C-alpha cells in the first residue's frame, strides 16, 4: 500500500518522523531523537530547530522539545495515546524477544488505522517499523480488529462519513461478515492485505472498561509464517495484550 518515492529526501523524512513522534508522544530530547532516527545528535538538533522555526515544535526551559502550535490540534488525544504507547512498549519488546518477529500497536480514527508504536525484531529479513504511518483500516490487522467492534449500522456510518477517503472503499456487506468472524474468534490474520509477502496476526487491546482501543500485532515475512504456529502466536499476543490492559488499569488508579 505504501511505496517509497523514487527520489526520497531523507532529511524531509526525518523531519516528518520527528513531527509524528512529538504529536504522538508529547516530548523528545535531542539524544532520544538521534537514537530513534539513527543519526548524529547534531543532525537531530538541526532538524528539531527547523521544526521549532516552523511552529511544529517548541523547546521548553529544560531543553526538551514538545509539540508546537501546528500539532496542537490533536492535543485532546495526546495524553491517552501517549499513555497507551508508554504502557505497551515494554510488553511489545518482550513479545518481540519471545517470538522474534516485529510488533505493532495500532489505533483507529474513522476508517483509517494509525501505527502509534513499532518494535522491530533483529532478524535480517524482517518487517520494518511502521510507526506514524496511516493505512485504510480494513487493510491492517489492528484496523480489522477495531472495525470488528462496530455494528453494521456503525460500520456503514463510518464509511458514509469518510467521503473523499474512499478510493479503496471495501464492499461493506462482505467486510461485515469477515469482521463478525474476527470478533467471534478474537483475533485477526492479515495475509498480504497491506503489503504483498507480509503476514500479520493480531488481537485487540482493551481499556479498563473492556472497550477495544488498539490492535496489537506481530508481522512477519510470509515465508516464515506457519499456520501450525497460529494458536501459539495468538496465545502469546493475548498474554501481552492482557499485560497492557493491566498496566492501563494501574495507571488509572
Amino acid at each position: 500500500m505504501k511505496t517509497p518515492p523514487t527520489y526520497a529526501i531523507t532529511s524531509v523524512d526525518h523531519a516528518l518522523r520527528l513531527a509524528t513522534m512529538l504529536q504522538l508522544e508529547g516530548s523528545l530530547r535531542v539524544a532520544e531523537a538521534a537514537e530513534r532516527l539513527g543519526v548524529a545528535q547534531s543532525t537531530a538538533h538541526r532538524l528539531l530547530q527547523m521544526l521549532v522555526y516552523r511552529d511544529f515544535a517548541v523547546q521548553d526551559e529544560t531543553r526538551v522539545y514538545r509539540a508546537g502550535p501546528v500539532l496542537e490540534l490533536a492535543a485532546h488525544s495526546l495524553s491517552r495515546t501517549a499513555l497507551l504507547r508508554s504502557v505497551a512498549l515494554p510488553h511489545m519488546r518482550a513479545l518481540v524477544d519471545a517470538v522474534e518477529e516485529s510488533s505493532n500497536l495500532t489505533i483507529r480514527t474513522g476508517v483509517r488505522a494509525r501505527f502509534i508504536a513499532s518494535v522491530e525484531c533483529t532478524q535480517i529479513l524482517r518487517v520494518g517499523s511502521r510507526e506514524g504511518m496511516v493505512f485504510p483500516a480494513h487493510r491492517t490487522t489492528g484496523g480489522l480488529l477495531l472495525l470488528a467492534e462496530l455494528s453494521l449500522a456503525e460500520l456503514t456510518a463510518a464509511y458514509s462519513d469518510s467521503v473523499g477517503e474512499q478510493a479503496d472503499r471495501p464492499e461493506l456487506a462482505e467486510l461485515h461478515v469477515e469482521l463478525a468472524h474476527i470478533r467471534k474468534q478474537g483475533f485477526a490474520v492479515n495475509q498480504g492485505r497491506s503489503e504483498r509477502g507480509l503476514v500479520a496476526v493480531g488481537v485487540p487491546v482493551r481499556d479498563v472498561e473492556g472497550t477495544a482501543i488498539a490492535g496489537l500485532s506481530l508481522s512477519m515475512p510470509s515465508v516464515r509464517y506457519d499456520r501450525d504456529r497460529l494458536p501459539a502466536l495468538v496465545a502469546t499476543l493475548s498474554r501481552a495484550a492482557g499485560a497492557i490492559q493491566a498496566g492501563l488499569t494501574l495507571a488509572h488508579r
Side-chain angles (χ1 to χ4, degrees), residues 11 35 51 54 73 100 187 199 204 214:
S11 59
E35 181 181 1
L51 291 180
R54 291 296 182 185
L73 292 175
E100 296 185 340
F187 65 89
V199 176

Side-chain angles (χ1 to χ4, degrees), residues 20-228:
T20 299
M21 292 175 201
L22 289 169
Q23 187 181 59
L24 291 176
E25 301 165 40
S27 65
L28 276 176
R29 292 185 179 276
V30 170
E32 182 184 3
E35 181 181 1
R36 298 272 292 276
L37 294 178
V39 300
Q41 290 194 26
S42 58
T43 300
H45 179 261
R46 289 196 297 272
L47 289 166
L48 286 165
Q49 285 293 305
M50 183 55 68
L51 291 180
V52 170
Y53 177 67
R54 291 296 182 185
D55 292 324
F56 282 82
V58 294
Q59 187 179 28
D60 66 21
E61 64 279 1
T62 65
R63 305 183 70 81
V64 172
Y65 291 87
R66 304 186 185 280
V70 174
L71 301 179
E72 284 180 349
L73 292 175
H76 67 281
S77 63
L78 178 62
S79 59
R80 185 173 67 174
T81 302
L83 175 62
L84 172 60
R85 188 178 185 280
S86 64
V87 169
L89 272 172
H91 302 293
M92 293 174 67
R93 295 186 184 108
L95 178 63
V96 171
D97 289 342
V99 182
E100 296 185 340
E101 299 293 356
S102 299
S103 179
N104 290 297
L105 188 69
T106 311
I107 60 174
R108 179 181 69 85
T109 303
V111 296
R112 294 184 176 273
R114 184 170 190 171
F115 291 80
I116 64 168
S118 290
V119 178
E120 292 186 33
C121 68
T122 58
Q123 301 209 59
I124 295 175
L125 179 62
R126 64 180 181 270
V127 178
S129 172
R130 289 187 169 185
E131 188 170 300
M133 297 182 75
V134 178
F135 288 82
H138 71 284
R139 292 288 183 183
T140 71
T141 312
L144 287 168
L145 289 162
L146 296 171
L147 288 173
E149 299 288 308
L150 304 180
S151 67
L152 179 56
E154 291 170 329
L155 186 69
T156 302
Y159 280 91
S160 296
D161 291 341
S162 62
V163 177
E165 300 181 7
Q166 301 184 36
D168 189 29
R169 180 188 172 96
E171 205 292 310
L172 293 186
E174 292 180 5
L175 179 61
H176 181 63
V177 171
E178 181 183 11
L179 295 175
H181 179 64
I182 290 172
R183 183 168 60 251
K184 182 178 180 180
Q185 68 184 8
F187 65 89
V189 179
N190 178 348
Q191 294 185 278
R193 294 178 75 139
S194 60
E195 187 175 332
R196 194 174 303 162
L198 182 153
V199 176
V201 180
V203 300
V205 175
R206 301 186 181 277
D207 63 13
V208 295
E209 297 176 349
T211 301
I213 55 172
L216 177 67
S217 60
L218 286 165
S219 300
M220 65 206 74
S222 57
V223 294
R224 275 206 303 270
Y225 176 65
D226 182 354
R227 186 173 177 81
D228 291 340

